[in-house]
Amino acid sequence: MPFAGRDLVSITDFSNDEIEAVLDLADQMDTALKERRDIDLCKGKDMATLFYEPSTRTRGSFERAMHKLGGTVISFAEAKAMSSAAKGETIADTVRVLKSYADIIVIRHPWEGAAKVAADYSEVPVINAGDGSHEHPTQTLCDLYTLRKEKGKLKGLTVLLWGDLKYGRTVHSLIYALARFGAEVICAPLQGLDLPSAVLRRIGSEYNYVPERVKPDDTKSLTGDVDAFYIAPFRPYNLALWSDVDSGPCPEANVREALGRADAIYVTRVQAERRNTEGATEMADEYPIVDSAFLRRLRKKTLVMHPLPRVNELAYELDEYPTSVYFRQAAYGVPVRMALTALLLGASKIEFPDKGGSPEEEAAYATYHQAVGISCPNPNCVSNRESRYLAPRMHMLNRQVGEPLILRCAYCDHEIQPPYIASSEWHQGILKYKKYYSSDSFMVDRIRPQNLVMFGSEREARELGFMPGKRTARRRGGDTS
Ligand code: NCD
């Protein structure tokens, strides 16, 4: 598919070939920048940068990228306070206006799914520069560019993800990309800041990654206060190595060995600004510091990466190490974002063979579009924050008979297991057929997916005129309100 006119909301919007194509063009941009050659590919084009959250690197490098391409920038650096959002304007209306001032829109917003809404309502390409704790795909392009430049390849690397993996949006985009490129990923989250279950499930169901957890006690001596666990590609030898790790004879040796394989450690800060949500309290003081003593557990050649800004989690003594690449990683933001912008604006064209369905396309899920029932469980999802014009949009994950029914929000990727279901085909003119059932009863396999109606509680079902059916009682506990 050509790049021109497309959006980049999630890193999974691009195939591996497309990602490599962006990085190849970034190499050319980097050379041209170093040679101080004029690159006027985007002369006459305008970029709007709409930032509702603070930014130094992302906005700075997007704006510099556009200037270097010969284009101009309309900058809303404090969009929350200084754009019409302060007067209550919705994201949809703001982008509908901006699209007539700009040829491309770069948006950063504190709500998960905001970039998707912008893309849905804009006729010009929209780039997600970070939406809440959801994704940050252009940071991932910079991370992959750094890995490829420093390690010469993207396939088959071992990367240790460190810190706040729950709220760190850069990590979420990066782990999808690493999984796509077949990396071994080691996760070392601080206690309570594990990868969200939806991210874990997705890398399992779409990329066959099987997470194996190591008890924190077994890793303390190696990793301090982090709650280390492993995610390995679904390959027999990896399974054999990790599947029994909880009960195995020497998990510590496994952890030590895995740390010794790492090509890169990707350190993240505590996303303190997202702390108002559950689980993320009082953690800054306990946050383990990656310093020279810790690095001795890794290989000499292990790259130290960080999306920046750093707070206390990365010792300054590492700055002089040749393997510390975080400032280079930030500098690569300019050529990478030049390449992306030129491609989406159609100013650079790259032809490459379309190798067919991506894992995401193959996994294509049915959309739940009943007018009633379930809404996104994430209070920070744009569908809840801007519910005056956005209806919940959910994908029904593919399931085998007997597996739980799971919906994934199309905006923020949060998942929900709806406790109660009914069929929209209840009526047949007979009111007594208007019944609801437990979603873990066999009725879930009787009702055709396109007819499923789902409820968050029994009360909700009753309010909509449904009566309890024979199979309403839930087998595994659950809501009875
Ligand atoms: C990141 C972000 O905004 O998510 N910063 C960046 O864009 N380089 C990481 C962070 O803020 O911790």
Side-chain angles (χ1 to χ4, degrees):
M1 207 201 301
F3 281 101
R6 281 165 68 184
D7 307 303
L8 178 62
V9 172
S10 161
I11 193 67
T12 60
D13 293 342
F14 285 175
S15 68
N16 286 10
D17 285 346
E18 287 169 340
I19 289 174
E20 297 249 31
V22 176
L23 306 188
D24 289 343
L25 184 61
D27 266 334
Q28 293 176 33
M29 298 291 181
D30 198 35
T31 309
L33 286 172
K34 285 191 179 119
E35 292 172 358
R36 300 202 159 269
R37 269 191 277 128
D38 283 344
I39 317 152
D40 277 343
L41 282 170
C42 295
K43 212 178 175 114
K45 300 278 185 192
D46 304 302
M47 168 185 279
T49 53
L50 189 57
F51 277 61
Y52 296 83
E53 270 191 346
S55 170
T56 306
R57 275 148 294 273
T58 307
R59 193 174 58 83
S61 60
F62 261 116
E63 296 190 356
R64 181 161 168 79
M66 191 55 172
H67 289 138
K68 285 285 161 192
L69 289 167
T72 57
V73 178
I74 313 168
S75 181
F76 298 88
E78 292 186 64
K80 197 171 173 188
M82 303 304 283
S83 77
S84 291
K87 301 178 188 168
E89 188 171 59
T90 61
I91 297 166
D93 282 356
T94 302
V95 300
R96 277 190 285 210
V97 171
L98 274 189
K99 70 168 196 257
S100 37
Y101 305 160
D103 301 289
I104 190 161
I105 298 173
V106 181
I107 181 169
R108 168 171 288 188
H109 201 285
W111 297 340
E112 284 90 50
K116 172 153 180 53
V117 173
D120 286 350
Y121 283 86
S122 164
E123 280 152 29
V124 301
V126 167
I127 300 176
N128 181 6
D131 59 332
S133 59
H134 181 220
E135 280 212 48
H136 191 347
T138 67
Q139 179 62 47
T140 295
L141 292 175
C142 300
D143 301 338
L144 296 177
Y145 186 74
T146 308
L147 280 168
R148 197 177 79 159
K149 229 175 162 73
E150 304 291 335
K151 293 288 170 191
K153 60 176 184 178
L154 284 177
K155 295 199 170 73
L157 296 173
T158 295
V159 180
L160 167 58
L161 302 178
W162 181 276
D164 183 349
L165 310 190
K166 183 171 183 175
Y167 298 105
R169 56 195 173 196
T170 66
V171 169
H172 303 158
S173 297
L174 181 59
I175 198 165
Y176 296 140
L178 290 173
R180 288 260 215 86
F181 281 101
E184 179 186 34
V185 184
I186 306 169
C187 293
L190 189 68
Q191 289 235 338
L193 295 176
D194 281 4
L195 281 172
S197 56
V199 175
L200 277 172
R201 189 191 315 277
R202 186 157 174 197
I203 55 174
S205 63
E206 285 171 22
Y207 311 111
N208 291 336
Y209 272 54
V210 182
E212 293 296 340
R213 184 173 286 276
V214 180
K215 280 184 273 177
D217 289 352
D218 298 328
T219 61
K220 264 214 150 66
S221 66
L222 291 164
T223 55
D225 272 332
V226 301
D227 184 10
F229 68 99
Y230 296 81
I231 300 171
F234 185 82
R235 289 197 223 111
Y237 72 87
N238 269 319
L239 270 187
L241 184 58
W242 301 119
S243 58
D244 271 332
V245 82
D246 268 355
S247 52
C250 190
E252 193 170 308
N254 288 345
V255 177
R256 193 187 309 276
E257 205 240 319
L259 292 179
R261 278 202 301 276
D263 292 294
I265 173 170
Y266 189 91
V267 185
T268 59
R269 75 179 169 94
V270 172
Q271 305 287 299
E273 67 274 35
R274 308 198 199 289
R275 258 191 207 191
N276 54 349
T277 33
E278 80 317 332
T281 50
E282 323 288 5
M283 63 222 175
D285 299 342
E286 321 157 8
Y287 208 73
I289 296 178
V290 172
D291 54 11
S292 51
F294 177 77
L295 281 198
R296 272 187 233 117
R297 293 171 186 142
L298 307 179
R299 293 196 306 171
K300 269 215 167 89
K301 289 190 289 191
T302 304
L303 300 179
V304 183
M305 299 176 69
H306 194 306
L308 301 178
R310 86 174 125 184
V311 187
N312 292 320
E313 65 286 347
L314 192 59
Y316 278 78
E317 67 197 22
L318 303 188
D319 292 0
E320 303 313 317
Y321 281 35
T323 47
S324 293
V325 293
Y326 30 91
F327 290 116
R328 288 211 284 281
Q329 195 183 342
Y332 293 145
V334 177
V336 168
R337 291 178 170 114
M338 284 173 78
L340 177 68
T341 304
L343 286 167
L344 298 187
L345 283 173
S348 280
K349 292 189 177 60
I350 296 180
E351 300 294 333
F352 49 87
D354 187 352
K355 294 215 187 97
S358 64
E360 299 78 21
E361 279 160 12
E362 279 158 23
Y365 303 112
T367 304
Y368 177 66
H369 49 71
Q370 301 289 348
V372 296
I374 226 83
S375 57
C376 179
N378 171 15
N380 204 39
C381 174
V382 70
S383 67
N384 290 318
R385 298 297 200 129
E386 300 217 329
S387 57
R388 59 193 141 140
Y389 66 99
L390 290 175
R393 203 147 103 208
M394 303 272 176
H395 297 307
M396 261 185 273
L397 299 197
N398 299 330
R399 52 182 286 283
Q400 308 287 329
V401 170
E403 283 180 357
L405 181 64
I406 296 173
L407 293 177
R408 180 185 292 157
C409 175
Y411 293 104
C412 75
D413 287 336
H414 275 232
E415 291 181 347
I416 185 166
Q417 278 190 39
Y420 298 101
I421 55 166
S423 172
S424 60
E425 294 283 283
W426 57 270
H427 39 80
Q428 298 163 354
I430 308 169
L431 202 58
K432 70 176 184 192
Y433 289 163
K434 197 175 175 181
K435 295 274 164 60
Y436 67 92
Y437 310 93
S438 161
S439 66
D440 61 7
S441 74
F442 72 89
M443 285 305 290
V444 72
D445 300 312
R446 289 271 180 89
I447 302 170
R448 276 182 293 170
Q450 66 270 31
N451 294 339
L452 270 172
V453 183
M454 307 183 198
F455 311 103
S457 66
E458 292 202 56
R459 190 188 308 129
E460 201 176 70
R462 286 205 196 95
E463 276 169 11
L464 289 162
F466 289 83
M467 300 297 290
K470 265 198 191 140
R471 311 284 166 189
T472 298
R474 292 183 61 71
R475 284 199 297 272
R476 294 185 292 265
D479 174 277
T480 49
S481 56

Short mmCIF file of all heavy atoms in Angstrom, two decimals, residues 396-428:
data_model
loop_
_atom_site.label_atom_id
_atom_site.label_comp_id
_atom_site.label_asym_id
_atom_site.label_seq_id
_atom_site.Cartn_x
_atom_site.Cartn_y
_atom_site.Cartn_z
N MET A 396 -14.58 -7.76 18.81
CA MET A 396 -14.76 -9.04 19.50
C MET A 396 -13.58 -9.92 19.16
O MET A 396 -13.38 -10.23 17.98
CB MET A 396 -16.04 -9.72 18.99
CG MET A 396 -17.21 -9.52 19.89
SD MET A 396 -18.59 -10.48 19.25
CE MET A 396 -19.29 -9.33 18.10
N LEU A 397 -12.78 -10.31 20.14
CA LEU A 397 -11.62 -11.14 19.83
C LEU A 397 -12.08 -12.52 19.40
O LEU A 397 -13.03 -13.07 19.94
CB LEU A 397 -10.69 -11.25 21.04
CG LEU A 397 -10.10 -9.93 21.55
CD1 LEU A 397 -8.90 -10.20 22.45
CD2 LEU A 397 -9.68 -9.01 20.41
N ASN A 398 -11.35 -13.05 18.42
CA ASN A 398 -11.69 -14.39 17.94
C ASN A 398 -11.55 -15.39 19.09
O ASN A 398 -10.62 -15.29 19.88
CB ASN A 398 -10.76 -14.79 16.80
CG ASN A 398 -10.90 -13.84 15.63
OD1 ASN A 398 -11.97 -13.29 15.42
ND2 ASN A 398 -9.82 -13.62 14.89
N ARG A 399 -12.46 -16.33 19.17
CA ARG A 399 -12.41 -17.28 20.28
C ARG A 399 -12.85 -18.65 19.79
O ARG A 399 -13.62 -18.77 18.84
CB ARG A 399 -13.31 -16.83 21.44
CG ARG A 399 -14.73 -16.49 21.03
CD ARG A 399 -15.54 -16.00 22.19
NE ARG A 399 -15.90 -17.07 23.08
CZ ARG A 399 -16.86 -17.96 22.87
NH1 ARG A 399 -17.57 -17.91 21.75
NH2 ARG A 399 -17.12 -18.90 23.74
N GLN A 400 -12.31 -19.66 20.46
CA GLN A 400 -12.77 -21.02 20.20
C GLN A 400 -13.92 -21.30 21.17
O GLN A 400 -14.05 -20.62 22.20
CB GLN A 400 -11.65 -22.03 20.51
CG GLN A 400 -10.33 -21.74 19.84
CD GLN A 400 -10.37 -22.03 18.36
OE1 GLN A 400 -11.09 -22.91 17.92
NE2 GLN A 400 -9.63 -21.25 17.58
N VAL A 401 -14.72 -22.34 20.86
CA VAL A 401 -15.80 -22.73 21.77
C VAL A 401 -15.20 -22.98 23.15
O VAL A 401 -14.15 -23.61 23.28
CB VAL A 401 -16.51 -24.00 21.24
CG1 VAL A 401 -17.47 -24.57 22.28
CG2 VAL A 401 -17.24 -23.68 19.95
N GLY A 402 -15.83 -22.43 24.19
CA GLY A 402 -15.36 -22.65 25.56
C GLY A 402 -14.42 -21.55 26.05
O GLY A 402 -14.20 -21.41 27.24
N GLU A 403 -13.86 -20.75 25.14
CA GLU A 403 -12.97 -19.66 25.58
C GLU A 403 -13.81 -18.44 25.97
O GLU A 403 -14.91 -18.26 25.46
CB GLU A 403 -12.01 -19.28 24.45
CG GLU A 403 -10.88 -20.27 24.29
CD GLU A 403 -9.92 -19.92 23.16
OE1 GLU A 403 -10.15 -18.93 22.44
OE2 GLU A 403 -8.94 -20.65 23.00
N PRO A 404 -13.26 -17.59 26.87
CA PRO A 404 -14.07 -16.45 27.30
C PRO A 404 -14.29 -15.45 26.16
O PRO A 404 -13.49 -15.37 25.23
CB PRO A 404 -13.23 -15.81 28.42
CG PRO A 404 -11.86 -16.34 28.25
CD PRO A 404 -11.98 -17.66 27.54
N LEU A 405 -15.38 -14.72 26.30
CA LEU A 405 -15.73 -13.69 25.33
C LEU A 405 -15.00 -12.41 25.73
O LEU A 405 -15.17 -11.93 26.85
CB LEU A 405 -17.24 -13.49 25.41
CG LEU A 405 -17.89 -12.49 24.49
CD1 LEU A 405 -17.74 -12.92 23.05
CD2 LEU A 405 -19.37 -12.38 24.85
N ILE A 406 -14.19 -11.87 24.84
CA ILE A 406 -13.42 -10.67 25.19
C ILE A 406 -13.62 -9.61 24.12
O ILE A 406 -13.56 -9.90 22.92
CB ILE A 406 -11.91 -11.00 25.35
CG1 ILE A 406 -11.73 -11.96 26.52
CG2 ILE A 406 -11.08 -9.73 25.57
CD1 ILE A 406 -10.33 -12.49 26.66
N LEU A 407 -13.86 -8.38 24.58
CA LEU A 407 -13.98 -7.25 23.67
C LEU A 407 -12.76 -6.35 23.85
O LEU A 407 -12.29 -6.16 24.97
CB LEU A 407 -15.23 -6.42 24.00
CG LEU A 407 -16.58 -7.07 23.77
CD1 LEU A 407 -17.68 -6.12 24.23
CD2 LEU A 407 -16.78 -7.40 22.30
N ARG A 408 -12.24 -5.81 22.75
CA ARG A 408 -11.12 -4.87 22.83
C ARG A 408 -11.55 -3.53 22.26
O ARG A 408 -12.07 -3.47 21.15
CB ARG A 408 -9.93 -5.41 22.04
CG ARG A 408 -8.73 -4.49 22.08
CD ARG A 408 -7.60 -4.98 21.18
NE ARG A 408 -7.03 -6.20 21.68
CZ ARG A 408 -6.36 -7.07 20.91
NH1 ARG A 408 -6.20 -6.84 19.64
NH2 ARG A 408 -5.84 -8.14 21.44
N CYS A 409 -11.32 -2.47 23.02
CA CYS A 409 -11.74 -1.13 22.58
C CYS A 409 -10.94 -0.74 21.33
O CYS A 409 -9.71 -0.83 21.30
CB CYS A 409 -11.51 -0.13 23.70
SG CYS A 409 -11.87 1.57 23.20
N ALA A 410 -11.65 -0.27 20.31
CA ALA A 410 -11.00 0.09 19.05
C ALA A 410 -10.18 1.37 19.20
O ALA A 410 -9.34 1.67 18.37
CB ALA A 410 -12.04 0.28 17.97
N TYR A 411 -10.43 2.14 20.28
CA TYR A 411 -9.68 3.38 20.48
C TYR A 411 -8.43 3.17 21.34
O TYR A 411 -7.36 3.63 20.99
CB TYR A 411 -10.57 4.44 21.15
CG TYR A 411 -11.70 4.89 20.27
CD1 TYR A 411 -13.00 4.44 20.48
CD2 TYR A 411 -11.46 5.73 19.20
CE1 TYR A 411 -14.03 4.84 19.65
CE2 TYR A 411 -12.48 6.14 18.37
CZ TYR A 411 -13.77 5.69 18.60
OH TYR A 411 -14.79 6.08 17.77
N CYS A 412 -8.60 2.49 22.48
CA CYS A 412 -7.49 2.45 23.45
C CYS A 412 -6.95 1.05 23.69
O CYS A 412 -6.01 0.89 24.46
CB CYS A 412 -7.93 3.08 24.77
SG CYS A 412 -9.02 2.01 25.73
N ASP A 413 -7.55 0.03 23.09
CA ASP A 413 -7.09 -1.36 23.21
C ASP A 413 -7.37 -1.99 24.57
O ASP A 413 -6.95 -3.13 24.81
CB ASP A 413 -5.59 -1.52 22.90
CG ASP A 413 -5.28 -1.39 21.42
OD1 ASP A 413 -6.20 -1.63 20.62
OD2 ASP A 413 -4.15 -1.03 21.07
N HIS A 414 -8.03 -1.28 25.49
CA HIS A 414 -8.37 -1.93 26.76
C HIS A 414 -9.37 -3.05 26.49
O HIS A 414 -10.16 -2.97 25.56
CB HIS A 414 -8.96 -0.92 27.76
CG HIS A 414 -7.91 -0.20 28.52
ND1 HIS A 414 -7.88 -0.12 29.89
CD2 HIS A 414 -6.80 0.46 28.10
CE1 HIS A 414 -6.82 0.56 30.28
NE2 HIS A 414 -6.16 0.92 29.22
N GLU A 415 -9.32 -4.05 27.35
CA GLU A 415 -10.19 -5.21 27.11
C GLU A 415 -11.24 -5.34 28.21
O GLU A 415 -11.03 -4.89 29.34
CB GLU A 415 -9.36 -6.48 27.08
CG GLU A 415 -8.49 -6.54 25.85
CD GLU A 415 -7.66 -7.81 25.78
OE1 GLU A 415 -7.57 -8.54 26.79
OE2 GLU A 415 -7.09 -8.05 24.72
N ILE A 416 -12.32 -5.96 27.87
CA ILE A 416 -13.37 -6.20 28.85
C ILE A 416 -13.98 -7.58 28.56
O ILE A 416 -14.11 -7.96 27.40
CB ILE A 416 -14.43 -5.08 28.80
CG1 ILE A 416 -15.46 -5.28 29.91
CG2 ILE A 416 -15.11 -4.98 27.46
CD1 ILE A 416 -16.33 -4.06 30.14
N GLN A 417 -14.28 -8.30 29.64
CA GLN A 417 -15.02 -9.56 29.49
C GLN A 417 -16.44 -9.27 29.92
O GLN A 417 -16.72 -9.21 31.11
CB GLN A 417 -14.44 -10.63 30.42
CG GLN A 417 -13.23 -11.31 29.86
CD GLN A 417 -12.84 -12.52 30.70
OE1 GLN A 417 -13.68 -13.25 31.17
NE2 GLN A 417 -11.55 -12.70 30.87
N PRO A 418 -17.35 -9.06 28.99
CA PRO A 418 -18.71 -8.68 29.38
C PRO A 418 -19.36 -9.82 30.15
O PRO A 418 -19.34 -10.97 29.68
CB PRO A 418 -19.41 -8.45 28.04
CG PRO A 418 -18.57 -9.15 27.04
CD PRO A 418 -17.20 -9.25 27.56
N PRO A 419 -19.91 -9.56 31.34
CA PRO A 419 -20.46 -10.66 32.14
C PRO A 419 -21.77 -11.22 31.62
O PRO A 419 -22.06 -12.38 31.85
CB PRO A 419 -20.64 -10.04 33.53
CG PRO A 419 -20.63 -8.58 33.34
CD PRO A 419 -19.88 -8.28 32.07
N TYR A 420 -22.56 -10.39 30.92
CA TYR A 420 -23.88 -10.88 30.49
C TYR A 420 -24.11 -10.62 29.01
O TYR A 420 -23.64 -9.62 28.46
CB TYR A 420 -24.99 -10.22 31.32
CG TYR A 420 -24.84 -10.58 32.77
CD1 TYR A 420 -24.27 -9.69 33.67
CD2 TYR A 420 -25.20 -11.85 33.21
CE1 TYR A 420 -24.06 -10.06 35.00
CE2 TYR A 420 -25.00 -12.23 34.53
CZ TYR A 420 -24.42 -11.33 35.40
OH TYR A 420 -24.22 -11.70 36.70
N ILE A 421 -24.85 -11.53 28.42
CA ILE A 421 -25.11 -11.44 26.97
C ILE A 421 -26.59 -11.71 26.68
O ILE A 421 -27.30 -12.27 27.51
CB ILE A 421 -24.28 -12.47 26.17
CG1 ILE A 421 -24.53 -13.89 26.74
CG2 ILE A 421 -22.80 -12.14 26.20
CD1 ILE A 421 -24.05 -14.98 25.84
N ALA A 422 -26.98 -11.29 25.49
CA ALA A 422 -28.33 -11.62 25.00
C ALA A 422 -28.24 -11.66 23.49
O ALA A 422 -27.20 -11.34 22.92
CB ALA A 422 -29.33 -10.57 25.46
N SER A 423 -29.33 -12.01 22.87
CA SER A 423 -29.37 -11.98 21.41
C SER A 423 -30.25 -10.82 20.98
O SER A 423 -31.33 -10.61 21.53
CB SER A 423 -29.92 -13.29 20.86
OG SER A 423 -30.13 -13.15 19.47
N SER A 424 -29.80 -10.10 19.95
CA SER A 424 -30.63 -9.01 19.42
C SER A 424 -31.82 -9.58 18.65
O SER A 424 -32.73 -8.86 18.28
CB SER A 424 -29.79 -8.09 18.52
OG SER A 424 -29.28 -8.85 17.45
N GLU A 425 -31.79 -10.86 18.41
CA GLU A 425 -32.88 -11.53 17.68
C GLU A 425 -33.89 -12.12 18.67
O GLU A 425 -34.48 -13.17 18.42
CB GLU A 425 -32.31 -12.67 16.82
CG GLU A 425 -31.41 -12.19 15.71
CD GLU A 425 -32.19 -11.62 14.54
OE1 GLU A 425 -32.73 -12.42 13.78
OE2 GLU A 425 -32.28 -10.38 14.43
N TRP A 426 -34.04 -11.51 19.83
CA TRP A 426 -34.88 -12.06 20.88
C TRP A 426 -36.35 -12.04 20.57
O TRP A 426 -37.12 -12.85 21.02
CB TRP A 426 -34.68 -11.28 22.19
CG TRP A 426 -34.97 -9.82 22.03
CD1 TRP A 426 -34.07 -8.87 21.68
CD2 TRP A 426 -36.22 -9.15 22.12
NE1 TRP A 426 -34.66 -7.65 21.56
CE2 TRP A 426 -35.98 -7.79 21.83
CE3 TRP A 426 -37.52 -9.56 22.43
CZ2 TRP A 426 -37.00 -6.84 21.84
CZ3 TRP A 426 -38.53 -8.61 22.45
CH2 TRP A 426 -38.27 -7.26 22.14
N HIS A 427 -36.71 -11.04 19.76
CA HIS A 427 -38.13 -10.70 19.75
C HIS A 427 -39.02 -11.77 19.12
O HIS A 427 -39.77 -12.41 19.81
CB HIS A 427 -38.33 -9.33 19.09
CG HIS A 427 -37.45 -9.12 17.91
ND1 HIS A 427 -37.74 -9.64 16.71
CD2 HIS A 427 -36.26 -8.47 17.78
CE1 HIS A 427 -36.77 -9.30 15.86
NE2 HIS A 427 -35.87 -8.60 16.49
N GLN A 428 -38.89 -11.99 17.87
CA GLN A 428 -39.80 -12.89 17.15
C GLN A 428 -41.24 -12.62 17.59
O GLN A 428 -42.08 -13.53 17.62
CB GLN A 428 -39.46 -14.37 17.40
CG GLN A 428 -38.06 -14.72 16.92
CD GLN A 428 -37.56 -16.02 17.51
OE1 GLN A 428 -38.20 -16.62 18.38
NE2 GLN A 428 -36.41 -16.45 17.07
#
